[in-house]
Amino acid sequence: MEHGLLSVANTIIGAFLLLLLIGVISWLIANKFNKPYTIFLVIIGLVIGLLNINFLNKIADLFTSSEIFSLIVLGLFLPSLLGEASMKFEYKEIKKYRKEILSLALLGTFLTFVLVAVALIYICKLPVVVSFTIASLMCATDPISVMGMFKRYNVKKSIAASLEGESLFNDGIAVVFFKISTVFLLSYINMGLSGIGAGILLFLKVVFIGTVIGLSLGYVASYMISFVDDYPLETMVSFLLFYGSYIISEHFHGSGVIAVVVGGIVFGNYGKKIGMSTVTEDYISSFWDIISFVGNTILFILIGLVVYRLDVFANWKVSLLTIIIVLVSRTIAVNISLLKIKTFTNHEKFLINWGGLKGALSIALALTLPNDFPYRENILLIVYVNVVFSLLIQGLSIPKVIMNLKNKEKVRQT
Protein backbone atom coordinates (compact mmCIF):
# COMPACT_ATOMS: atom_id res chain seq x y z
CA MET A 1 0.00 0.00 0.00
CA GLU A 2 2.84 2.37 0.90
CA HIS A 3 4.51 1.57 -2.41
CA GLY A 4 1.26 2.39 -4.24
CA LEU A 5 0.90 5.73 -2.47
CA LEU A 6 4.54 6.55 -3.17
CA SER A 7 4.04 5.75 -6.84
CA VAL A 8 1.00 8.06 -7.04
CA ALA A 9 2.91 10.81 -5.23
CA ASN A 10 5.86 10.50 -7.60
CA THR A 11 3.51 10.62 -10.58
CA ILE A 12 1.85 13.80 -9.32
CA ILE A 13 5.17 15.48 -8.51
CA GLY A 14 6.64 14.48 -11.86
CA ALA A 15 3.61 15.79 -13.75
CA PHE A 16 3.66 18.98 -11.69
CA LEU A 17 7.30 19.62 -12.62
CA LEU A 18 6.62 18.83 -16.27
CA LEU A 19 3.69 21.26 -16.34
CA LEU A 20 5.89 23.96 -14.80
CA LEU A 21 8.55 23.31 -17.42
CA ILE A 22 5.91 23.74 -20.11
CA GLY A 23 4.81 26.96 -18.41
CA VAL A 24 8.37 28.32 -18.37
CA ILE A 25 8.77 27.48 -22.07
CA SER A 26 5.48 29.28 -22.78
CA TRP A 27 6.70 32.31 -20.85
CA LEU A 28 9.98 32.37 -22.79
CA ILE A 29 8.13 32.15 -26.12
CA ALA A 30 5.72 34.87 -25.01
CA ASN A 31 8.57 37.19 -24.08
CA LYS A 32 10.22 36.52 -27.43
CA PHE A 33 7.09 37.57 -29.32
CA ASN A 34 6.06 40.20 -26.75
CA LYS A 35 2.67 38.53 -26.11
CA PRO A 36 0.83 37.41 -22.92
CA TYR A 37 2.04 33.96 -21.83
CA THR A 38 -1.52 32.71 -21.20
CA ILE A 39 -2.12 32.77 -24.95
CA PHE A 40 0.74 30.32 -25.51
CA LEU A 41 -0.42 28.19 -22.57
CA VAL A 42 -3.76 27.69 -24.32
CA ILE A 43 -2.06 26.65 -27.56
CA ILE A 44 0.44 24.33 -25.87
CA GLY A 45 -2.29 22.82 -23.69
CA LEU A 46 -4.31 21.91 -26.76
CA VAL A 47 -1.25 20.49 -28.56
CA ILE A 48 -0.32 18.36 -25.55
CA GLY A 49 -3.90 17.08 -25.37
CA LEU A 50 -3.76 16.07 -29.03
CA LEU A 51 -0.41 14.29 -28.51
CA ASN A 52 -2.13 11.95 -26.03
CA ILE A 53 0.81 11.52 -23.64
CA ASN A 54 -0.03 8.61 -21.32
CA PHE A 55 1.83 10.07 -18.33
CA LEU A 56 -0.16 13.32 -18.44
CA ASN A 57 -3.40 11.50 -19.24
CA LYS A 58 -3.19 9.79 -15.83
CA ILE A 59 -2.99 13.17 -14.12
CA ALA A 60 -5.91 14.53 -16.15
CA ASP A 61 -7.96 11.46 -15.20
CA LEU A 62 -7.03 12.01 -11.55
CA PHE A 63 -8.37 15.56 -11.63
CA THR A 64 -11.46 14.92 -13.73
CA SER A 65 -12.66 11.63 -12.27
CA SER A 66 -12.61 12.66 -8.61
CA GLU A 67 -14.81 15.36 -7.08
CA ILE A 68 -12.25 15.76 -4.29
CA PHE A 69 -9.56 16.72 -6.76
CA SER A 70 -11.98 19.07 -8.49
CA LEU A 71 -12.57 20.87 -5.20
CA ILE A 72 -8.81 21.06 -4.71
CA VAL A 73 -8.53 22.79 -8.07
CA LEU A 74 -11.00 25.42 -6.86
CA GLY A 75 -9.66 25.80 -3.32
CA LEU A 76 -5.97 25.65 -4.25
CA PHE A 77 -5.73 27.93 -7.26
CA LEU A 78 -8.48 30.54 -6.92
CA PRO A 79 -7.30 32.15 -3.64
CA SER A 80 -3.80 32.63 -5.06
CA LEU A 81 -4.94 33.98 -8.44
CA LEU A 82 -7.49 36.39 -6.96
CA GLY A 83 -5.39 37.33 -3.94
CA GLU A 84 -2.45 38.31 -6.13
CA ALA A 85 -4.62 40.52 -8.35
CA SER A 86 -6.62 42.17 -5.56
CA MET A 87 -3.56 42.93 -3.42
CA LYS A 88 -2.05 44.98 -6.26
CA PHE A 89 -5.20 46.96 -7.02
CA GLU A 90 -5.03 50.40 -5.42
CA TYR A 91 -7.98 51.61 -3.38
CA LYS A 92 -7.61 55.14 -4.74
CA GLU A 93 -8.40 53.74 -8.20
CA ILE A 94 -11.52 52.01 -6.84
CA LYS A 95 -12.61 55.25 -5.18
CA LYS A 96 -11.90 57.40 -8.22
CA TYR A 97 -13.64 55.11 -10.72
CA ARG A 98 -16.16 53.51 -8.37
CA LYS A 99 -19.18 54.33 -10.56
CA GLU A 100 -17.59 52.76 -13.63
CA ILE A 101 -16.31 49.71 -11.73
CA LEU A 102 -19.55 49.03 -9.84
CA SER A 103 -21.70 49.53 -12.93
CA LEU A 104 -19.65 47.01 -14.89
CA ALA A 105 -19.18 44.55 -12.02
CA LEU A 106 -22.77 44.58 -10.75
CA LEU A 107 -25.16 45.55 -13.51
CA GLY A 108 -22.89 44.42 -16.35
CA THR A 109 -22.23 41.01 -14.83
CA PHE A 110 -25.90 40.43 -14.01
CA LEU A 111 -27.03 41.41 -17.51
CA THR A 112 -24.42 39.18 -19.13
CA PHE A 113 -25.50 36.30 -16.91
CA VAL A 114 -29.19 36.68 -17.76
CA LEU A 115 -28.73 37.40 -21.47
CA VAL A 116 -26.41 34.44 -22.06
CA ALA A 117 -28.69 32.09 -20.12
CA VAL A 118 -31.86 33.18 -21.93
CA ALA A 119 -30.15 32.91 -25.33
CA LEU A 120 -28.89 29.40 -24.56
CA ILE A 121 -32.37 28.31 -23.46
CA TYR A 122 -34.27 29.67 -26.46
CA ILE A 123 -31.66 29.56 -29.24
CA CYS A 124 -29.53 26.53 -28.34
CA LYS A 125 -32.42 24.69 -26.66
CA LEU A 126 -30.29 23.74 -23.66
CA PRO A 127 -31.87 22.86 -20.27
CA VAL A 128 -32.40 25.74 -17.85
CA VAL A 129 -29.85 24.56 -15.26
CA VAL A 130 -27.22 23.93 -17.94
CA SER A 131 -27.85 27.31 -19.56
CA PHE A 132 -27.51 29.25 -16.31
CA THR A 133 -24.40 27.25 -15.37
CA ILE A 134 -22.71 28.15 -18.65
CA ALA A 135 -23.85 31.77 -18.26
CA SER A 136 -22.26 31.97 -14.80
CA LEU A 137 -18.96 30.74 -16.26
CA MET A 138 -19.13 33.24 -19.12
CA CYS A 139 -19.90 36.38 -17.11
CA ALA A 140 -16.53 36.31 -15.31
CA THR A 141 -13.72 38.32 -16.94
CA ASP A 142 -9.98 37.88 -16.64
CA PRO A 143 -8.16 40.79 -18.30
CA ILE A 144 -4.73 39.90 -16.89
CA SER A 145 -3.59 39.08 -20.43
CA VAL A 146 -4.38 42.57 -21.70
CA MET A 147 -3.32 44.73 -18.74
CA GLY A 148 0.32 44.52 -19.83
CA MET A 149 -0.70 45.70 -23.29
CA PHE A 150 -2.63 48.59 -21.75
CA LYS A 151 0.52 49.74 -19.95
CA ARG A 152 2.69 49.22 -23.03
CA TYR A 153 0.41 51.32 -25.24
CA ASN A 154 -0.30 53.88 -22.52
CA VAL A 155 -4.08 53.34 -22.44
CA LYS A 156 -6.05 55.82 -20.32
CA LYS A 157 -6.01 54.98 -16.62
CA SER A 158 -9.79 55.15 -16.41
CA ILE A 159 -10.15 52.30 -18.92
CA ALA A 160 -7.49 50.08 -17.35
CA ALA A 161 -8.76 50.67 -13.79
CA SER A 162 -12.39 50.06 -14.75
CA LEU A 163 -11.63 46.82 -16.58
CA GLU A 164 -9.37 45.49 -13.82
CA GLY A 165 -11.75 46.55 -11.06
CA GLU A 166 -14.67 44.94 -12.87
CA SER A 167 -12.75 41.67 -13.10
CA LEU A 168 -11.92 41.58 -9.39
CA PHE A 169 -15.49 42.07 -8.24
CA ASN A 170 -17.35 40.19 -10.95
CA ASP A 171 -15.24 37.08 -10.25
CA GLY A 172 -16.85 36.83 -6.84
CA ILE A 173 -20.31 37.49 -8.24
CA ALA A 174 -19.79 34.90 -11.00
CA VAL A 175 -18.87 32.25 -8.43
CA VAL A 176 -22.05 33.00 -6.46
CA PHE A 177 -24.09 32.70 -9.69
CA PHE A 178 -22.29 29.42 -10.40
CA LYS A 179 -23.20 27.96 -7.02
CA ILE A 180 -26.81 29.07 -7.31
CA SER A 181 -27.03 27.64 -10.85
CA THR A 182 -25.48 24.26 -10.05
CA VAL A 183 -26.88 23.60 -6.58
CA PHE A 184 -30.04 25.60 -5.89
CA LEU A 185 -31.59 26.61 -9.20
CA LEU A 186 -33.88 23.60 -9.64
CA SER A 187 -35.41 24.16 -6.20
CA TYR A 188 -35.96 27.86 -6.90
CA ILE A 189 -37.62 27.18 -10.25
CA ASN A 190 -40.08 24.78 -8.61
CA MET A 191 -40.90 27.41 -5.99
CA GLY A 192 -42.02 29.96 -8.59
CA LEU A 193 -41.94 33.66 -7.63
CA SER A 194 -41.06 32.86 -4.05
CA GLY A 195 -38.04 31.01 -5.42
CA ILE A 196 -36.79 34.17 -7.10
CA GLY A 197 -36.97 35.98 -3.77
CA ALA A 198 -35.17 33.11 -2.04
CA GLY A 199 -32.45 33.22 -4.70
CA ILE A 200 -31.95 36.97 -4.25
CA LEU A 201 -31.76 36.60 -0.47
CA LEU A 202 -29.23 33.81 -0.81
CA PHE A 203 -27.13 35.95 -3.16
CA LEU A 204 -27.14 38.89 -0.73
CA LYS A 205 -26.34 36.62 2.21
CA VAL A 206 -23.39 34.97 0.46
CA VAL A 207 -21.95 38.32 -0.67
CA PHE A 208 -22.45 39.92 2.78
CA ILE A 209 -20.72 37.08 4.65
CA GLY A 210 -17.80 37.07 2.23
CA THR A 211 -17.40 40.86 2.45
CA VAL A 212 -17.48 40.95 6.27
CA ILE A 213 -14.97 38.11 6.61
CA GLY A 214 -12.69 39.63 3.97
CA LEU A 215 -12.74 43.05 5.64
CA SER A 216 -12.18 41.64 9.13
CA LEU A 217 -9.29 39.36 8.22
CA GLY A 218 -7.77 41.98 5.91
CA TYR A 219 -7.51 44.46 8.77
CA VAL A 220 -6.26 41.77 11.18
CA ALA A 221 -3.53 40.75 8.75
CA SER A 222 -2.59 44.42 8.20
CA TYR A 223 -2.17 45.00 11.93
CA MET A 224 -0.12 41.82 12.28
CA ILE A 225 2.52 42.97 9.80
CA SER A 226 2.64 46.46 11.36
CA PHE A 227 4.54 44.99 14.35
CA VAL A 228 7.38 43.44 12.32
CA ASP A 229 9.68 44.20 9.41
CA ASP A 230 10.43 40.70 8.19
CA TYR A 231 9.36 40.04 4.61
CA PRO A 232 9.29 36.20 4.78
CA LEU A 233 6.97 36.43 7.79
CA GLU A 234 4.81 39.11 6.18
CA THR A 235 4.55 37.01 3.02
CA MET A 236 3.31 34.11 5.13
CA VAL A 237 0.69 36.42 6.65
CA SER A 238 -0.57 37.22 3.15
CA PHE A 239 -0.67 33.48 2.40
CA LEU A 240 -2.73 32.81 5.52
CA LEU A 241 -5.01 35.73 4.70
CA PHE A 242 -5.89 34.57 1.18
CA TYR A 243 -6.40 30.90 1.95
CA GLY A 244 -7.80 31.48 5.44
CA SER A 245 -10.41 34.00 4.31
CA TYR A 246 -11.47 31.66 1.50
CA ILE A 247 -11.86 28.61 3.76
CA ILE A 248 -13.54 30.47 6.64
CA SER A 249 -16.02 32.21 4.33
CA GLU A 250 -16.91 28.96 2.59
CA HIS A 251 -17.36 27.29 5.99
CA PHE A 252 -19.94 29.91 6.96
CA HIS A 253 -21.66 29.59 3.56
CA GLY A 254 -20.33 32.88 2.25
CA SER A 255 -18.39 33.65 -0.91
CA GLY A 256 -14.77 32.64 -0.46
CA VAL A 257 -13.85 34.49 -3.64
CA ILE A 258 -15.34 37.79 -2.43
CA ALA A 259 -13.62 37.32 0.94
CA VAL A 260 -10.25 36.89 -0.80
CA VAL A 261 -10.78 39.91 -3.06
CA VAL A 262 -11.91 42.22 -0.25
CA GLY A 263 -9.21 40.97 2.12
CA GLY A 264 -6.56 41.36 -0.59
CA ILE A 265 -7.60 44.95 -1.33
CA VAL A 266 -7.46 45.86 2.38
CA PHE A 267 -4.10 44.13 2.87
CA GLY A 268 -2.59 45.59 -0.31
CA ASN A 269 -3.63 49.14 0.55
CA TYR A 270 -4.09 49.60 4.32
CA GLY A 271 -1.53 46.92 5.18
CA LYS A 272 0.94 48.43 2.74
CA LYS A 273 0.41 51.86 4.32
CA ILE A 274 0.95 50.86 7.95
CA GLY A 275 3.23 47.84 7.78
CA MET A 276 5.14 47.25 4.54
CA SER A 277 8.58 48.47 3.65
CA THR A 278 9.56 48.80 -0.01
CA VAL A 279 11.57 45.58 0.25
CA THR A 280 8.60 43.71 1.73
CA GLU A 281 6.24 45.04 -0.91
CA ASP A 282 8.55 43.91 -3.73
CA TYR A 283 9.14 40.52 -2.13
CA ILE A 284 5.44 39.77 -1.56
CA SER A 285 4.57 40.93 -5.07
CA SER A 286 7.24 38.67 -6.60
CA PHE A 287 6.15 35.71 -4.49
CA TRP A 288 2.53 35.95 -5.64
CA ASP A 289 3.59 36.55 -9.24
CA ILE A 290 5.25 33.13 -9.14
CA ILE A 291 2.25 31.47 -7.46
CA SER A 292 -0.11 33.04 -10.00
CA PHE A 293 2.09 31.80 -12.84
CA VAL A 294 2.02 28.26 -11.42
CA GLY A 295 -1.78 28.34 -11.06
CA ASN A 296 -2.39 29.62 -14.58
CA THR A 297 0.02 27.09 -16.05
CA ILE A 298 -1.61 24.07 -14.44
CA LEU A 299 -5.19 25.18 -15.12
CA PHE A 300 -4.72 26.07 -18.78
CA ILE A 301 -2.78 22.92 -19.63
CA LEU A 302 -5.13 20.75 -17.59
CA ILE A 303 -8.18 21.98 -19.51
CA GLY A 304 -6.33 21.20 -22.76
CA LEU A 305 -5.87 17.62 -21.59
CA VAL A 306 -9.50 17.36 -20.54
CA VAL A 307 -10.88 18.74 -23.81
CA TYR A 308 -8.99 16.07 -25.75
CA ARG A 309 -11.33 13.51 -24.17
CA LEU A 310 -14.44 15.29 -25.37
CA ASP A 311 -16.30 14.75 -28.63
CA VAL A 312 -15.35 18.11 -30.14
CA PHE A 313 -16.84 17.64 -33.58
CA ALA A 314 -20.20 16.39 -32.34
CA ASN A 315 -20.92 19.72 -30.60
CA TRP A 316 -18.97 22.24 -32.68
CA LYS A 317 -22.07 24.12 -33.91
CA VAL A 318 -23.35 24.83 -30.40
CA SER A 319 -19.85 25.73 -29.20
CA LEU A 320 -19.35 28.27 -31.98
CA LEU A 321 -22.84 29.67 -31.48
CA THR A 322 -22.07 30.32 -27.80
CA ILE A 323 -19.14 32.52 -28.85
CA ILE A 324 -21.55 34.79 -30.73
CA ILE A 325 -24.05 34.71 -27.86
CA VAL A 326 -21.41 35.63 -25.28
CA LEU A 327 -19.97 38.44 -27.44
CA VAL A 328 -23.39 39.97 -28.15
CA SER A 329 -24.49 39.63 -24.51
CA ARG A 330 -21.28 41.22 -23.24
CA THR A 331 -21.65 44.09 -25.73
CA ILE A 332 -25.24 44.80 -24.66
CA ALA A 333 -24.35 44.53 -20.97
CA VAL A 334 -21.37 46.89 -21.18
CA ASN A 335 -23.26 49.54 -23.13
CA ILE A 336 -26.32 49.43 -20.86
CA SER A 337 -24.25 49.47 -17.64
CA LEU A 338 -22.26 52.50 -18.87
CA LEU A 339 -25.24 54.26 -20.45
CA LYS A 340 -25.45 57.04 -17.86
CA ILE A 341 -21.70 57.28 -17.30
CA LYS A 342 -20.04 59.89 -19.50
CA THR A 343 -16.45 58.87 -18.74
CA PHE A 344 -15.95 56.88 -21.95
CA THR A 345 -16.49 57.43 -25.64
CA ASN A 346 -18.15 54.73 -27.74
CA HIS A 347 -14.75 53.57 -28.99
CA GLU A 348 -13.46 53.31 -25.41
CA LYS A 349 -16.54 51.30 -24.44
CA PHE A 350 -15.73 48.92 -27.29
CA LEU A 351 -12.19 48.47 -25.90
CA ILE A 352 -13.61 47.69 -22.45
CA ASN A 353 -16.02 45.24 -24.03
CA TRP A 354 -13.38 43.56 -26.20
CA GLY A 355 -10.87 43.43 -23.33
CA GLY A 356 -13.19 41.39 -21.08
CA LEU A 357 -11.43 38.10 -21.78
CA LYS A 358 -12.29 34.71 -20.29
CA GLY A 359 -9.60 32.92 -18.31
CA ALA A 360 -8.53 30.79 -15.37
CA LEU A 361 -11.63 31.29 -13.21
CA SER A 362 -14.00 29.93 -15.85
CA ILE A 363 -11.75 26.91 -16.33
CA ALA A 364 -11.35 26.24 -12.61
CA LEU A 365 -15.10 26.39 -11.99
CA ALA A 366 -15.90 24.16 -14.96
CA LEU A 367 -13.47 21.51 -13.69
CA THR A 368 -15.34 21.33 -10.36
CA LEU A 369 -18.59 20.13 -11.95
CA PRO A 370 -19.45 16.59 -10.76
CA ASN A 371 -19.09 13.80 -13.31
CA ASP A 372 -22.85 13.18 -13.25
CA PHE A 373 -23.74 16.84 -13.85
CA PRO A 374 -26.02 17.10 -16.94
CA TYR A 375 -24.20 18.05 -20.15
CA ARG A 376 -20.89 18.25 -18.26
CA GLU A 377 -18.81 17.47 -21.35
CA ASN A 378 -20.68 20.05 -23.39
CA ILE A 379 -20.10 22.67 -20.69
CA LEU A 380 -16.36 21.92 -20.53
CA LEU A 381 -16.08 22.16 -24.29
CA ILE A 382 -18.06 25.43 -24.47
CA VAL A 383 -15.90 26.98 -21.75
CA TYR A 384 -12.71 25.92 -23.48
CA VAL A 385 -13.83 27.19 -26.90
CA ASN A 386 -14.80 30.58 -25.45
CA VAL A 387 -11.56 30.90 -23.48
CA VAL A 388 -9.49 30.00 -26.54
CA PHE A 389 -11.42 32.48 -28.69
CA SER A 390 -11.13 35.30 -26.16
CA LEU A 391 -7.39 34.80 -25.66
CA LEU A 392 -6.36 34.10 -29.25
CA ILE A 393 -8.76 36.33 -31.19
CA GLN A 394 -9.63 39.10 -28.74
CA GLY A 395 -6.31 39.03 -26.87
CA LEU A 396 -4.10 39.14 -29.96
CA SER A 397 -6.22 41.84 -31.61
CA ILE A 398 -6.16 44.18 -28.59
CA PRO A 399 -3.09 46.15 -29.86
CA LYS A 400 -4.91 46.92 -33.12
CA VAL A 401 -8.02 48.00 -31.22
CA ILE A 402 -5.91 50.29 -29.02
CA MET A 403 -4.09 51.84 -31.99
CA ASN A 404 -7.39 52.37 -33.77
CA LEU A 405 -8.75 54.07 -30.66
CA LYS A 406 -5.72 56.37 -30.47
CA ASN A 407 -6.10 57.28 -34.14
CA LYS A 408 -9.77 58.11 -33.57
CA GLU A 409 -8.80 60.36 -30.67
CA LYS A 410 -6.23 62.20 -32.79
CA VAL A 411 -8.81 62.79 -35.52
CA ARG A 412 -11.35 63.98 -32.95
CA GLN A 413 -8.86 66.39 -31.37
CA THR A 414 -7.92 67.90 -34.72
Side-chain angles (χ1 to χ4, degrees):
M1 183 176 178
E2 290 182 3
H3 178 73
L5 290 174
L6 183 61
S7 177
V8 172
N10 287 335
T11 301
I12 293 174
I13 293 172
F16 181 77
L17 293 175
L18 181 57
L19 292 178
L20 287 185
L21 175 61
I22 294 169
V24 170
I25 293 172
S26 300
W27 202 339
L28 291 173
I29 296 173
N31 284 337
K32 178 69 176 179
F33 291 95
N34 202 25
K35 301 293 182 183
Y37 75 92
T38 49
I39 292 174
F40 291 93
L41 280 177
V42 167
I43 298 172
I44 292 177
L46 181 58
V47 171
I48 290 175
L50 294 174
L51 290 176
N52 195 21
I53 301 173
N54 186 55
F55 178 64
L56 290 176
N57 286 341
K58 293 180 180 178
I59 298 302
D61 290 336
L62 194 62
F63 274 94
T64 56
S65 63
S66 170
E67 291 185 23
I68 295 177
F69 275 99
S70 295
L71 292 174
I72 290 175
V73 168
L74 191 62
L76 185 62
F77 296 131
L78 279 190
S80 61
L81 293 172
L82 295 170
E84 182 263 343
S86 61
M87 184 179 63
K88 294 179 180 179
F89 196 65
E90 296 183 2
Y91 175 72
K92 64 180 181 181
E93 301 294 344
I94 299 176
K95 186 177 180 180
K96 186 175 182 180
Y97 302 111
R98 60 186 180 277
K99 290 183 180 179
E100 294 85 347
I101 292 172
L102 290 177
S103 293
L104 289 167
L106 297 178
L107 180 58
T109 303
F110 175 75
L111 286 175
T112 302
F113 175 64
V114 173
L115 289 171
V116 171
V118 171
L120 291 175
I121 293 170
Y122 290 102
I123 298 176
C124 298
K125 307 300 181 183
L126 292 176
V128 173
V129 172
V130 175
S131 298
F132 276 97
T133 298
I134 294 172
S136 68
L137 297 171
M138 292 296 98
C139 65
T141 59
D142 184 14
I144 185 173
S145 300
V146 301
M147 296 313 295
M149 296 182 193
F150 279 13
K151 292 178 182 178
R152 192 178 308 130
Y153 291 97
N154 197 27
V155 173
K156 286 170 60 175
K157 189 66 177 178
S158 58
I159 298 175
S162 298
L163 191 60
E164 189 174 12
E166 176 202 9
S167 173
L168 282 178
F169 291 104
N170 82 355
D171 283 352
I173 295 170
V175 172
V176 176
F177 286 159
F178 178 76
K179 288 186 176 181
I180 292 175
S181 300
T182 55
V183 180
F184 305 106
L185 188 60
L186 278 178
S187 300
Y188 293 156
I189 291 174
N190 295 331
M191 291 168 63
L193 289 176
S194 61
I196 297 175
I200 294 173
L201 287 175
L202 177 66
F203 174 80
L204 295 175
K205 174 187 174 183
V206 168
V207 171
F208 177 76
I209 293 173
T211 301
V212 170
I213 290 175
L215 281 172
S216 303
L217 295 183
Y219 279 110
V220 169
S222 298
Y223 278 113
M224 287 176 66
I225 66 171
S226 68
F227 296 109
V228 295
D229 186 16
D230 187 333
Y231 57 81
L233 180 60
E234 292 174 78
T235 302
M236 184 54 64
V237 171
S238 71
F239 185 90
L240 292 172
L241 169 63
F242 297 155
Y243 284 96
S245 59
Y246 182 87
I247 293 172
I248 292 172
S249 184
E250 290 292 320
H251 176 74
F252 287 103
H253 306 292
S255 170
V257 171
I258 290 178
V260 173
V261 170
V262 173
I265 291 173
V266 172
F267 186 77
N269 289 270
Y270 185 68
K272 174 183 173 181
K273 180 180 178 181
I274 68 172
M276 286 189 201
S277 64
T278 304
V279 174
T280 298
E281 185 182 346
D282 292 340
Y283 187 92
I284 292 178
S285 178
S286 298
F287 172 82
W288 286 109
D289 281 342
I290 295 172
I291 299 299
S292 177
F293 169 74
V294 171
N296 274 308
T297 297
I298 293 175
L299 285 174
F300 277 107
I301 295 177
L302 186 61
I303 194 69
L305 293 170
V306 172
V307 167
Y308 172 75
R309 290 157 175 74
L310 307 179
D311 191 353
V312 176
F313 297 105
N315 303 291
W316 67 271
K317 290 183 180 178
V318 174
S319 299
L320 291 180
L321 185 56
T322 59
I323 293 176
I324 299 173
I325 290 172
V326 171
L327 286 176
V328 173
S329 299
R330 165 82 178 167
T331 301
I332 295 172
V334 168
N335 281 279
I336 291 179
S337 61
L338 296 177
L339 192 61
K340 294 185 178 181
I341 295 176
K342 307 302 180 182
T343 309
F344 309 112
T345 64
N346 289 331
H347 293 98
E348 289 171 341
K349 289 178 183 178
F350 178 79
L351 178 57
I352 292 173
N353 173 35
W354 199 247
L357 309 186
K358 308 296 177 283
L361 177 65
S362 299
I363 293 173
L365 290 175
L367 288 172
T368 65
L369 289 172
N371 290 327
D372 59 352
F373 193 85
Y375 289 74
R376 182 180 189 272
E377 292 189 354
N378 300 72
I379 294 172
L380 288 173
L381 181 60
I382 288 170
V383 169
Y384 184 74
V385 168
N386 277 272
V387 169
V388 169
F389 177 87
S390 68
L391 287 174
L392 297 187
I393 305 302
Q394 292 177 246
L396 290 176
S397 63
I398 284 291
K400 290 184 179 180
V401 175
I402 294 173
M403 295 309 297
N404 183 57
L405 173 62
K406 288 184 175 292
N407 291 333
K408 296 284 185 182
E409 287 181 348
K410 288 180 181 179
V411 172
R412 187 163 55 88
Q413 290 173 358
T414 55

